[in-house]
Amino acid sequence: NAGVTQTPKFQVLKTGQSMTLQCAQDMNHEYMSWYRQDPGMGLRLIHYSVGAGITDQGEVPNGYNVSRSTTEDFPLRLLSAAPSQTSVYFCASSYQTSGSGVQFFGPGTRLTVL
Amino acid sequence: SQQGEEDPQALSIQEGENATMNCSYKTSINNLQWYRQNSGRGLVHLILIRSNEREKHSGRLRVTLDTSKKSSSLLITASRAADTASYFCATQGTGTASKLTFGTGTRLQVTL
C-alpha cells in the first residue's frame, strides 16, 4: 500500500494564481481531511470529508475549496492564492468516519505564495 | 484554535536519557493521541488513549492521561538519536462532530 500520497511536494505561486493540491489514499478510508501547518501554530483543519460526495468546513476554510468524487481522492483547490496561504499542507485519512481515530498523513506539500 | 498545548516547546537530551513531554487541554475529550513528525515529513501516529484510560504503553513509549487535570504526558525511555523529531498531542472533543485538534508541538533533540 502506498498509504496517503500528495502532489506536488513543492510549489511556488504568484498572488492571485489558482492551483490544486492532489491527495490520494489506497486504504479505502471514508474520512479524509486537509490541514495546514504554520510555525508555532500546530496543525489547523481546513476541510474534511466523511465519504464520497460529502465535504464540510474545518477551522480555517476561507480561500480553499474541496470536492470528493471518489473514496480515493480529495483535492484541495486554492482559488486565488494569497501570501497568507504560504504554508505546509497535509492530507490525512482515517478509517473511522467520525475522524476521531488514528490519522494517516501524507508527506505534505510546501507552498510558497509570492 | 489549539486545544492542546505541549510543554516544553523544545527539549534537548542525551542518548539513553528519558524524555518527558506534557500536553494540557481545555475541554472534555473522547480521546487523546500523540504523533511524531520528523523534519520535512508528515505526522506519524504513536499512541491513542481514551478518556476512560489512565495509562498506555507501546514499546519505549508510555502515555498517561489525567482527565481531572486535563493533561497528558508522553515518556520516551532510553532515547535514541532517531527519536529526534517534533511531538504533537491531538485531542478529540466529546461532541459527535468534534474533530482532532492538534497542539503546537514539542521539538525533541537527542544528541549522541
Side-chain angles (χ1 to χ4, degrees):
Chain A
N1 285 351
V4 179
T5 58
Q6 292 182 240
T7 56
K9 289 187 177 180
F10 302 94
Q11 184 70 48
V12 179
L13 293 178
K14 294 181 179 178
T15 297
Q17 287 185 317
S18 63
M19 80 158 294
T20 300
L21 280 63
Q22 301 292 344
C23 174
Q25 53 92 8
D26 61 359
M27 297 174 283
N28 203 33
H29 288 169
E30 292 293 335
Y31 183 88
M32 296 185 73
S33 56
W34 277 101
Y35 294 88
R36 59 177 290 173
Q37 184 178 34
D38 302 293
M41 297 287 290
L43 275 77
R44 291 182 292 169
L45 182 64
I46 305 172
H47 284 286
Y48 65 94
S49 169
V50 298
I54 306 170
T55 64
D56 207 345
Q57 297 180 351
E59 182 185 355
V60 288
N62 291 343
Y64 308 95
N65 268 2
V66 292
S67 60
R68 184 96 178 271
S69 57
T70 66
T71 299
E72 294 78 19
D73 300 300
F74 190 43
L76 178 72
R77 297 183 186 85
L78 279 70
L79 308 173
S80 178
S84 61
Q85 293 178 305
T86 293
S87 188
V88 182
Y89 291 85
F90 290 99
C91 179
S93 71
S94 175
Y95 51 80
Q96 284 188 277
T97 308
S98 65
S100 62
V102 173
Q103 306 276 318
F104 294 82
F105 283 84
T109 294
R110 186 175 295 274
L111 175 68
T112 301
V113 182
L114 303 175
Chain B
S1 61
Q2 268 65 48
Q3 160 79 307
E5 294 292 334
E6 287 92 339
D7 172 62
Q9 290 187 348
L11 179 62
S12 183
I13 60 173
Q14 290 191 319
E15 204 171 46
E17 295 181 334
N18 295 341
T20 299
M21 288 157 267
N22 302 296
C23 171
S24 60
Y25 57 92
K26 298 173 184 172
T27 61
S28 298
I29 61 170
N30 272 336
N31 70 67
L32 184 146
Q33 303 178 33
W34 286 91
Y35 288 80
R36 184 187 74 229
Q37 183 181 35
N38 290 90
S39 181
R41 302 286 190 94
L43 280 72
V44 175
H45 179 262
L46 295 176
I47 200 162
L48 181 153
I49 187 166
R50 303 190 189 283
S51 59
N52 61 353
E53 298 175 312
R54 292 296 167 259
E55 187 172 313
K56 285 191 84 170
H57 296 255
S58 177
R60 294 184 295 112
L61 305 180
R62 173 181 169 246
V63 168
T64 61
L65 178 64
D66 187 335
T67 52
S68 66
K69 295 182 179 179
K70 291 186 171 59
S71 68
S72 172
S73 67
L74 170 66
L75 169 67
I76 304 174
T77 60
S79 296
R80 306 166 181 168
D83 295 326
T84 294
S86 291
Y87 292 81
F88 295 87
C89 70
T91 55
Q92 195 232 351
T94 54
T96 53
S98 293
K99 306 305 172 193
L100 278 185
T101 304
F102 286 81
T104 53
T106 292
R107 191 167 60 254
L108 173 66
Q109 177 76 42
V110 181
T111 56
L112 297 172

